[in-house]
Amino acid sequence: MSETKIIDGKAVAAALKAEIRSKVARLQHSGPIPGLAVVLVGHDPASEIYVRSKIKQTTEVGLASIEHRLDSDVLQEDLLRLVEELNEDPAVHGILVQLPLPAHINSTEILLAIDPRKDVDGFHPINVGMIATQSGGIVPCTPLGSMKLIQSVRPDLAGLKAIIIGRSNIVGKPMAQLLLAQDCTVTLAHSKTRNLAEEIAASDIVVAAVGRPHCIRGEWIKPGAIVIDVGINRIVDEQGQRRIVGDVAFDEALGRAGAITPVPGGVGPMTIACLLSNTVDAFLRETCPD
Ligand code: NAD
């Protein structure tokens, strides 16, 4: 058994937020500051917790936080109108519409309405296309945070074999693009992939984004591999305690992986830090385009 480095996502996120805070403090001297607008529709408890945390961290780094809470029966056209107003608002540099939206709302139409320059979640097809063609674009926060964690332990990834398990638009697919852009040889695995264990055993980097507790077994991991666990799963453990665990059987992976992110305390804290960083970058592109 060799020692596995535990990648401390909280510490990396704190360092990134400290950098953002000092950038914003410098901007404050010279004029307007970046603003992040968050739109929350309805009262989904998980979304409420997430949005509260986003707003708290937005103000902690000195950004302006603009909050819009709408009833769950809001009409599609009223939500669209709000997005359009935020697109036009010079005090708003990032717009985040919290998902999931109620079933009667056409989420695709809402996300398409966001000005791609203010799309700090990186979900708009314009940004997706720009990332895919390596021509700039706003990178979705969770994959961006995951890349920063990988590169915190190994900056040069050229030639490494990477596997991502999960092909969602918000995590798996953009993650594949980012690793490809770093010259990795990328496998994007999903629920229909054959011989997943063998695919993982051949990989130097493993990113798990499935949403099934401990579905990636430790014995599948190549000795020395970097393992990034994006999964967030709420379970009741053998002692009857409610816990949050990842997709990777963490205890089994210890002593085998070269480095691994814990859950909680790994990718999670990076997601919001990257949202704040995307907002500052959107502001800088808007106010000083060169
Ligand atoms: P999703 O539910 O949209 O997609 C899951 C993916 O897993 C699918 O592509 C599916 O093909 C694949 N999959 C399902 N079963 C599989 C199996 N047995 N073998 C291989 N692949 C399988 O997922 P998502 O929205 O990308 O979220 C994935 C996980 O990441 C969830 O637990 C979610 O909560 C978490 N997440 C965490 C953060 C964060 O900030 N840490 C952000 C987003 C998502």
Side-chain angles (χ1 to χ4, degrees):
M1 289 241 301
S2 54
E3 204 177 327
T4 302
K5 179 183 168 50
I6 313 286
I7 305 173
D8 185 347
K10 277 192 204 160
V12 180
L16 178 56
K17 284 195 285 182
E19 243 174 67
I20 298 170
R21 201 176 301 119
S22 51
K23 255 190 212 172
V24 177
R26 281 198 300 276
L27 289 169
Q28 259 164 346
H29 288 298
S30 52
I33 53 166
L36 172 62
V38 175
V39 179
L40 177 62
V41 180
H43 300 282
D44 175 67
S47 296
E48 291 266 8
I49 294 171
Y50 193 44
V51 162
R52 219 175 298 136
S53 179
K54 277 177 192 167
I55 291 169
K56 181 167 170 275
Q57 296 188 48
T58 302
T59 49
E60 271 170 10
V61 298
L63 298 178
S65 174
I66 301 110
E67 206 184 324
H68 289 271
R69 287 173 180 269
L70 304 174
D71 288 334
S72 50
D73 60 357
V74 66
L75 296 176
Q76 178 87 12
E77 63 252 41
D78 290 340
L79 187 51
L80 268 179
R81 194 170 317 116
L82 172 61
V83 169
E84 278 152 20
E85 280 166 21
L86 295 172
N87 283 343
E88 297 304 318
D89 187 341
V92 171
H93 305 90
I95 302 171
L96 185 145
V97 178
Q98 182 64 40
L99 300 177
L101 290 167
H104 71 280
I105 298 285
N106 177 341
S107 304
T108 307
E109 192 187 15
I110 301 296
L111 294 181
L112 275 172
I114 297 174
D115 182 334
R117 291 168 301 183
K118 297 189 179 188
D119 166 43
V120 283
D121 255 340
F123 295 163
H124 194 289
I126 294 271
N127 285 314
V128 175
M130 289 179 83
I131 300 299
T133 52
Q134 290 182 36
S135 28
I138 301 178
V139 180
C141 306
T142 301
L144 179 59
S146 300
M147 276 310 289
K148 287 183 190 291
L149 292 179
I150 295 170
Q151 292 188 301
S152 74
V153 292
R154 181 147 183 181
D156 182 8
L157 308 178
L160 296 183
K161 277 175 80 72
I163 186 165
I164 302 114
I165 309 112
R167 57 178 159 184
S168 70
N169 289 337
I170 61 171
V171 185
K173 286 180 196 158
M175 192 72 222
Q177 298 292 355
L178 297 183
L179 286 161
L180 195 56
Q182 291 301 317
D183 298 322
C184 289
T185 303
V186 177
T187 300
L188 185 48
H190 47 77
S191 54
K192 301 283 192 287
T193 296
R194 293 191 189 147
N195 305 324
L196 183 62
E198 282 169 33
E199 297 287 350
I200 291 174
S203 304
D204 307 297
I205 298 171
V206 178
V207 180
V210 180
R212 286 171 178 235
H214 297 167
C215 64
I216 310 297
R217 310 311 311 186
E219 68 194 37
W220 301 351
I221 304 225
K222 179 176 174 180
I226 300 171
V227 179
I228 303 295
D229 194 347
V230 180
I232 299 177
N233 307 291
R234 287 169 179 82
I235 62 154
V236 177
D237 69 14
E238 285 127 29
Q239 284 76 42
Q241 299 292 314
R242 286 173 188 280
R243 285 205 299 138
I244 291 182
V245 299
D247 291 344
V248 179
F250 184 83
D251 292 344
E252 294 175 9
L254 288 179
R256 212 174 155 85
I260 188 168
T261 58
V263 177
V267 175
M270 290 302 288
T271 296
I272 296 185
C274 288
L275 173 73
L276 305 175
S277 145
N278 276 351
T279 304
V280 174
D281 290 349
F283 170 90
L284 292 173
R285 271 195 300 272
E286 195 59 26
T287 50
C288 17
D290 302 322

